[in-house]
Amino acid sequence: MTTTTDPAAEFETHRPRMFALAYRLLGSAQEADDAVQDAYLRWSKAVRADIEQPAAWLAKVVTNLCVNRLTSARARREEYVGPWLPEPVVTGSGALGPLDSAEQRDSVSTALLVLLERLTPAERAVYVLREAFAYSHREIAGVLDVGEANARQLYGRAVRRVAAGTPRFVPRPEQQRGLVESFIAAAREGDVAGLEKLLADDVTWWGDGGGRITAARRPIVGREKVLRFLAGAAERFLVGVELAAVEVNGWTALVARLGGELTAVASFEVREDGAIADVRVVVNPEKLTFVRRQLGAAGG
């Protein structure tokens, strides 16, 4: 039983973990913030004596709020203009919890969050609780108010559906950073040959503009097509743009600024042979609001 006399202060001690959970469930920093705030409203009205384990109580509330949000989000994302990508989050300062291992980093990677979009809300909740937060099947059953056997079935389906995607390679952090820095150097210098060496033959370029800003509305597939796209983009959009490497979603990413204003965040997926297999670029201004705030606060 909690004995704190300041519920607001106690909630703040749990907020970082609740945000980390909500973001993994929703793939949206702004929606995660909203879900955590909704959880706070429920927390503030709850009878303190009824809450034996605050962390568990809040995790259940946040998870179920997110499951409900995912149900409506699926319909919105089906109507989204162009590819839908998760909102980027700067993670170097611990915004999504400890990311000390490759597995922890991968739990918030853009690539995995994209794969999680293929799951039902319940499957996604079970997968995140099990994989990222090490919940037992019994604990997950309690969070979702389902039987333990049902929780196991949901987890099994989720694992199979995630594994059905393109096999993914998790690089060493220094390997990822070196590749992104090489990409930035080649882009700055207009070194087409250098970029060509970095890209896989079947590389795919994804651009998320949400219909609010110019971006490729369909994935661009193949090294030659991506290079042609980059050459055209450089002429139209990269004049005066500053490029830098920043840890985003657990891995080194590229951030672009024009006149000091953040304009794009690009995440890279690497193959085992060291070539770039996917580039996912968020340019939708609404999706850059959270990371812009982070970079501003950090002076980055």
Side-chain angles (χ1 to χ4, degrees):
M1 182 183 300
T2 180
T3 59
T4 182
T5 57
D6 188 349
E10 183 176 9
F11 182 86
E12 290 306 312
T13 67
H14 296 285
R15 183 183 289 273
R17 182 176 171 86
M18 294 305 100
F19 176 79
L21 170 62
Y23 176 75
R24 286 171 171 84
L25 289 169
L26 298 169
S28 165
Q30 296 184 81
E31 289 188 35
D33 256 346
D34 290 343
V36 172
Q37 191 57 31
D38 286 348
Y40 171 71
L41 294 177
R42 298 191 180 199
W43 167 267
S44 64
K45 296 176 182 177
V47 177
R48 318 295 344 135
D50 293 340
I51 304 177
E52 296 183 358
Q53 298 179 331
W57 188 91
L58 285 168
K60 179 171 184 174
V61 170
V62 168
T63 297
N64 284 283
L65 284 170
C66 289
V67 166
N68 292 336
R69 285 175 176 269
L70 277 171
T71 302
S72 58
R74 288 168 73 90
R76 294 197 306 274
R77 291 171 191 178
E78 287 176 0
E79 299 174 357
Y80 196 78
V81 178
W84 182 93
L85 295 175
E87 284 183 31
V89 173
V90 175
T91 50
S93 60
L96 295 178
L99 302 177
D100 300 325
S101 68
E103 291 75 17
Q104 289 172 327
R105 289 174 179 271
D106 194 48
S107 76
V108 294
S109 69
T110 301
L112 180 64
L113 292 174
V114 168
L115 284 176
L116 294 186
E117 286 294 305
R118 67 179 62 195
L119 306 182
T120 67
E123 289 169 351
R124 184 163 182 164
V126 170
Y127 186 90
V128 168
L129 288 169
R130 181 71 174 166
E131 293 290 317
F133 293 88
Y135 272 52
S136 68
H137 291 296
R138 178 175 296 180
E139 289 171 327
I140 293 170
V143 168
L144 296 178
D145 290 325
V146 300
E148 187 174 343
N150 192 11
R152 290 179 180 274
Q153 291 173 350
L154 286 168
Y155 176 68
R157 286 204 301 268
V159 169
R160 289 192 294 273
R161 295 180 75 176
V162 170
T166 303
R168 296 173 49 246
F169 168 68
V170 180
R172 299 185 309 277
E174 61 272 19
Q175 179 185 9
Q176 174 86 4
R177 185 169 188 86
L179 197 66
V180 174
E181 289 177 343
S182 295
F183 184 95
I184 290 173
R188 283 174 179 159
E189 298 167 10
D191 181 2
V192 176
L195 288 171
E196 185 174 4
K197 291 178 181 178
L198 296 171
L199 302 176
D201 289 341
D202 56 350
V203 62
T204 302
W205 182 281
W206 310 80
D208 182 341
R212 299 180 181 278
I213 195 166
T214 302
R217 295 195 175 187
R218 293 183 179 180
I220 302 170
V221 182
R223 180 193 289 150
E224 296 305 317
K225 290 182 179 179
V226 169
L227 287 172
R228 286 199 298 271
F229 171 79
L230 287 175
E235 293 178 359
R236 290 178 293 169
F237 306 118
L238 294 184
V239 177
V241 171
E242 299 175 2
L243 305 178
V246 175
E247 185 185 300
V248 174
N249 287 76
W251 299 97
T252 303
L254 176 156
V255 299
R257 295 181 178 88
L258 179 61
E261 184 76 7
L262 183 70
T263 57
V265 175
S267 300
F268 298 79
E269 189 169 353
V270 183
R271 288 199 321 205
E272 193 168 2
D273 62 4
I276 295 172
D278 287 274
V279 185
R280 298 182 174 93
V281 187
V282 176
V283 293
N284 182 343
E286 290 187 356
K287 287 191 172 184
L288 296 176
T289 299
F290 187 86
V291 71
R292 187 179 290 122
R293 222 165 42 230
Q294 285 184 298
L295 290 172

